[in-house]
Structures are given as C-alpha cells and as structure tokens.
Amino acid sequence: MTIRWGLVGVGDIANKRVAAAIQSDPNSELVAVCRRSEPQLDQFADQFGVPHRFTNADDLIASPNLDAVYIATPVDCHCPQTIAAARAGKHVLVEKPMALNPAECDQMISACDQAGVSLGVAYYRRFYPVVLRIQQLIEAKQLGRILSIGCVTGNPNRFPADDWRVIRTRGGGGPLMDIGSHRLDVFLQLLGDVATVKASVIDSPDYEAEQAATLLVQFNSGAHGILQCYFGTVETPDRLEIIGTEGRITVEDLNHGDLMLSTSEGQQLESHPPADNLHAPLISDFSAAVLEHRSPTISGPVGKRTNDLIRLAYEDAQ
Ligand SMILES: NC(=O)C1=CN([C@@H]2O[C@H](COP(=O)(O)OP(=O)(O)OC[C@H]3O[C@@H](n4cnc5c(N)ncnc54)[C@H](OP(=O)(O)O)[C@@H]3O)[C@@H](O)[C@H]2O)C=CC1
Ligand SMILES: O=C1CO[C@H](CO)[C@@H](O)[C@@H]1O
C-alpha cells in the first residue's frame, strides 16, 4: 500500500523540497495539490506532474482518494486545516511551527486523536545525522556533564510589513517562531525538557513582529540553553555549540554537518552531512509510521512543546 498525499499550500517550501520528498519516497504518492491562486497552482501541478488540483483546501481535504494531507500554508492556517483533515479521516503532517500557540496545538492533537489519525510536525532537523551523532556523544557522556547549548540563527530577508511571517496573527511572531522554533526543537531533542524560559526581544522598526529574540532557557538537568535569532541580518549559518565538563562540540553549520569534538585528548573533526532533500527523511518516517501503525517520530505532542517554550518566551519578554 502507498500513502496518497494531498499537499495544501504549494509556495516556497513545497516547491523547494516537500513535493520532491513525497515523490521520492517509495511509500508515498503525490496525488493532489492546493493553493488559491489558480495560475500558480497550475504551474506547480504541471511542473510536478500532479493529477488533481484544488483552489480550496476544504475541497482537497474532502477528496476521497487521499490518505494524508501535508500542510505547508502560513502558520495561521495550520490549526483549522489540521482539524478539517482529521475530521475527514486523513493523516496530517504539518509544517513548523505547529500552530500560532499551544492552545491551537492542543486542539490539533485532540482532533487527530479523536479521529484515530496520525499527526506529525516538520521539525526535520531531528533526522540530521550530525544531530543524531551529537545525541549519541551526549548519551555516552563524552562531554561529561552538559553545562550549555547555544545556537545563533539569522535570516537575511528584509520582510515587508504585509508578509505573513511578520504579522503576529498570521505567523505567530517573528524570527523566534519562524527560525528559532527549529532550534528549540533541537535543544529539546538533545538536552531533554526545559524548566524555565527567560527572553528579551528587539522590536522591528518596519513591522509588527520582533526583529530579534534572545532566549535563556534552563533545562530540567540544570544546563543552560542560549538561543539568538534574527531577521534582516547578513546570512548567519546554523551554528550550534555544546559545552560540557569534559568536552565541547562545535558545529559551524548544522546544514553542512561538520562537527568538531574537543576534549582533553585533542580535537576531532567528523563529517555527518544531511540528506540532499532535508524533508526526505521526515516524509519517509511519517509514511512508514502510518503503514506500521506507530506514532511518527515528531508527533503532535513533540511539536507542541516548542510552541509552549515560545509562548513562555514571549510572555517573559513582555
Ligand atoms: N521546514 C522548513 O524548513 C520550512 C518550513 N516552512 C514552513 O512552511 C509553511 C509555508 O511556508 P512557505 O512555503 O515559505 O510560505 P509561502 O508563503 O511561500 O507559501 C504558502 C502557500 O500557502 C498557500 N496558501 C495560503 N493560504 C492558503 C489557504 N487558506 N488555503 C490554501 N493555500 C493557502 C499560498 O498560496 P495562495 O496564496 O495562492 O493560496 C502558498 O502556496 C510555513 O509554516 C513555514 O514556516 C517554510 C520554509 C522552510
Ligand atoms: O529554515 C527555514 C528557512 O527559512 C525560512 C524563512 O525564514 C523558514 O521558514 C524555515 O523554517
């Protein structure tokens, strides 16, 4: 059996990676796509050879010949479209951040539970070989007791004030929601759950959302997490550093996967590059989970935890 996918929202990320990832997965088939703009919909469907096209998400979701819906629309659409898909009996894989706020995440989880369908969230960095290698090194106590994890990330785009990414009711916030969310998810994967969140933001002179956010989180283990995220800077690589009592790991760019391990014995460079299509392992995991009747690796409750931390950060910053 293959999973027949409908893809709602065929903009930037669908075009760059999601459609190709579905089409390259042996358990998946891309059978339907949706966006409201008809000429752009046709262009996308023609480019990827997708047989069914819809200008209304409800119509795609109601279509009987689908097993799963991939939601790649702006964040304010994630909750209503997930609930509609669940009620129509479709499994749902939703882009990050999962929703505008934790209350929406709860509604999505509960709708999918009630309908008996799977819910996954697209935090694909969880499948990066370099992240899995770091997890292994931490678990093997190669770094001793972990004291801190730090990440700096920036998107150079200068978003206009009417872009959904910088309107709070559409994107949920600014760089913290859009790019910080990915890194907080990696923090949770590597160091476990968080007890407290402190945050400060810098407002943008040009739009409603923040332009910069700096977070200091304290994990249940006692370790610190420091996250800095920006919009409108020069391109900032996806840098990660973990400091322990016996060692340090530095990754200059998670998307390249070179890892430097420093211990008292010296330095060791390892290379763990990600998949060519970063979404491919995510789609494969989700479709296999549906076929094997297991939970996807990045389930609704996993995705929601990042929304919880972001909410605490915005509350503290206020
Ligand atoms: N995992 C990752 O690395 C990345 C994830 N993302 C996430 O993916 C999502 C989409 O981002 P991105 O592709 O950059 O956004 P875009 O703005 O480029 O695309 C959004 C798409 O959604 C469509 N859309 C908007 N509203 C609706 C609606 N009500 N019904 C149906 N379609 C709709 C738009 O088309 P139209 O207006 O014609 O309807 C467009 O095709 C976001 O959640 C974002 O955070 C984005 C980039 C990378
Ligand atoms: O990783 C990413 C690349 O940039 C995009 C635009 O800011 C983000 O939405 C996305 O999560």
Side-chain angles (χ1 to χ4, degrees):
M1 184 197 159
T2 55
I3 305 297
R4 297 164 301 171
W5 288 89
L7 173 53
V8 180
V10 289
D12 187 48
I13 196 60
N15 185 51
K16 271 192 202 144
R17 293 205 294 263
V18 178
I22 293 174
Q23 290 181 325
S24 69
D25 175 37
N27 292 325
S28 296
E29 196 184 345
L30 181 57
V31 299
V33 285
C34 168
R35 70 177 290 169
R36 294 163 305 174
S37 153
E38 199 160 1
Q40 289 169 291
L41 173 68
D42 286 339
Q43 189 188 16
F44 188 97
D46 291 344
Q47 181 189 339
F48 288 95
V50 185
H52 301 290
R53 47 194 81 177
F54 298 86
T55 53
N56 183 314
D58 290 337
D59 293 341
L60 178 144
I61 286 166
S63 163
N65 302 317
L66 293 181
D67 306 301
V69 176
Y70 194 108
I71 297 174
T73 46
V75 185
D76 60 323
C77 299
H78 292 184
C79 177
Q81 290 174 348
T82 296
I83 292 174
R87 287 183 180 156
K90 312 295 196 293
H91 303 286
V92 181
L93 181 49
V94 63
E95 264 302 338
K96 47 52 63 182
M98 182 171 166
L100 292 174
N101 53 54
E104 284 195 343
C105 297
D106 282 332
Q107 291 172 37
M108 294 157 77
I109 293 167
S110 138
C112 290
D113 282 351
Q114 276 172 25
V117 297
S118 296
L119 173 60
V121 187
Y123 286 121
Y124 56 75
R125 278 173 176 70
R126 284 196 179 238
F127 299 106
Y128 278 14
V130 71
V131 174
L132 295 170
R133 173 66 178 146
I134 295 170
Q135 197 170 15
Q136 192 184 46
L137 289 165
I138 291 172
E139 280 166 11
K141 304 264 182 249
Q142 295 270 314
L143 306 184
R145 185 164 51 88
I146 304 298
L147 300 176
S148 70
I149 181 168
C151 184
V152 183
T153 182
N155 181 327
N157 284 352
R158 283 154 208 267
F159 294 106
D162 63 354
D163 190 299
W164 66 260
R165 276 190 168 80
V166 291
I167 299 173
R168 284 203 189 92
T169 52
R170 301 222 58 210
L176 177 54
M177 278 294 271
D178 187 46
I179 50 179
S181 53
H182 269 305
R183 285 75 194 177
L184 283 176
D185 180 64
V186 170
F187 280 16
L188 290 165
Q189 179 185 5
L190 292 177
L191 295 198
D193 210 357
V194 162
T196 61
V197 181
K198 301 261 173 230
S200 187
V201 300
I202 301 175
D203 291 335
S204 164
D206 303 318
Y207 43 74
E208 189 192 32
E210 83 279 0
Q211 177 166 11
T214 302
L215 271 61
L216 172 59
V217 306
Q218 183 149 37
F219 292 88
N220 289 342
S221 68
H224 289 170
I226 303 136
L227 172 66
Q228 295 162 260
C229 30
Y230 309 97
F231 275 167
T233 55
V234 292
E235 185 83 52
T236 310
D238 212 341
R239 188 171 194 282
L240 185 79
E241 186 157 51
I242 302 175
I243 296 177
T245 51
E246 310 299 326
R248 173 164 49 91
I249 286 174
T250 312
V251 182
E252 288 302 336
D253 190 346
L254 275 180
N255 291 309
H256 286 130
D258 284 352
L259 172 162
M260 180 67 85
L261 172 64
S262 308
T263 64
S264 56
E265 287 167 20
Q267 291 198 314
Q268 182 181 318
L269 180 66
E270 300 180 7
S271 192
H272 303 282
D276 287 342
N277 183 326
L278 303 178
H279 276 70
L282 172 85
I283 304 278
S284 301
D285 175 77
F286 188 87
S287 60
V290 169
L291 293 173
E292 291 161 14
H293 306 288
R294 63 168 169 86
S295 176
T297 300
I298 310 156
S299 64
V302 169
K304 183 199 169 208
R305 197 65 194 122
T306 286
N307 268 98
D308 289 336
L309 302 188
I310 291 174
R311 168 47 63 98
L312 291 173
Y314 283 137
E315 282 173 3
D316 188 65
Q318 272 192 350

